[in-house]
Amino acid sequence: MIGKKMEKALNEQVNAEMYSAYLYLSIESYFKSLNLNGFANWMRVQTQEEMFHAMKMYDYLIERGGRILLKKIEGPQTEWKSPLDAFKTVSKHEQKVTGLINNLVDLAIEEKDHATNSFLQWFVTEQVEEEANADELVKQLKLMENAPGGMFMLDRELAQRVFTPPASAGTA
Ligand code: FEO
């Protein structure tokens, strides 16, 4: 059975992952308004990944005998200055999420909750990829600042991204 402190912290993380999905859905709609459908597709996949993260945590908490208490999801930002600005938001947000995951690991260690620590390692690894993906797009868009043609090529490339649930789609 999971401890009360850990239960509360994981509930907060379910909310944070759902907020991430909400934020990325908002960015998707911004890209749609610009007719950048490939960029929008990339954000849709990112939204699906965040929902996967939220549900992975939700299932784990239940498996450990915890109680899910869903809270209000904060409204996300709705406007950006440019696609670069939007991807800077993604990058900054992923860095914040990495900090949240690290705090959860610290708490699991403090609470001697080895099972939760082990469960969270999947998220630690996932965050390395999440940050790298966002950073790469920020860098590419910076290079394209004076070459708008590149943006349309990138849009076509990002249209190829598909959501693939990780093989270990269970609760561990
Ligand atoms: Fe759930 Fe993008 O981290």
Side-chain angles (χ1 to χ4, degrees):
M1 183 105 179
I2 200 147
K4 283 287 154 207
K5 255 192 188 173
M6 203 73 242
E7 179 186 61
K8 186 169 180 283
L10 288 176
N11 260 299
E12 279 165 14
Q13 192 60 30
V14 169
N15 187 278
E17 298 292 346
M18 287 197 171
Y19 171 75
S20 300
Y22 218 30
L23 173 64
Y24 296 159
L25 194 59
S26 183
I27 300 178
E28 178 195 333
S29 71
Y30 164 71
F31 285 140
K32 281 274 186 196
S33 76
L34 298 179
N35 229 4
L36 287 169
N37 293 326
F39 281 71
N41 174 66
W42 195 94
M43 292 311 312
R44 171 68 64 97
V45 174
Q46 196 62 26
T47 299
Q48 288 171 306
E49 288 214 347
E50 298 305 344
M51 284 310 294
F52 179 84
H53 296 166
M55 294 315 294
K56 190 176 176 75
M57 218 156 257
Y58 173 103
D59 287 340
Y60 173 76
L61 199 40
I62 290 175
E63 193 180 16
R64 292 288 314 282
R67 178 78 172 85
I68 294 287
L69 296 167
L70 296 177
K71 293 216 178 86
K72 185 168 135 185
I73 302 167
E74 199 190 318
Q77 186 177 341
T78 52
E79 294 295 343
W80 288 269
K81 286 188 292 216
S82 64
L84 174 60
D85 186 34
F87 271 104
K88 278 184 181 168
T89 296
V90 178
S91 176
K92 213 168 128 201
H93 185 68
E94 286 304 331
Q95 286 169 29
K96 188 178 155 198
V97 173
T98 298
L100 295 177
I101 298 291
N102 288 343
N103 289 345
L104 288 173
V105 172
D106 287 347
L107 181 64
I109 292 168
E110 205 180 290
E111 296 281 298
K112 296 187 170 54
D113 185 344
H114 301 293
T116 300
N117 185 9
S118 168
F119 167 75
L120 289 169
Q121 293 311 308
W122 183 90
F123 286 88
V124 171
T125 308
E126 177 77 355
Q127 280 312 120
V128 174
E129 197 188 313
E130 294 275 90
E131 280 195 39
N133 287 345
D135 279 356
E136 194 186 328
L137 285 162
V138 167
K139 282 181 194 143
Q140 286 184 359
L141 283 166
K142 272 186 182 162
L143 287 172
M144 284 167 200
E145 263 179 321
N146 299 315
M151 187 119 97
F152 293 103
M153 277 172 69
L154 184 60
D155 189 57
R156 248 179 282 159
E157 189 188 319
L158 299 186
Q160 307 304 316
R161 189 183 189 198
V162 284
F163 175 64
T164 322
S168 59
T171 54

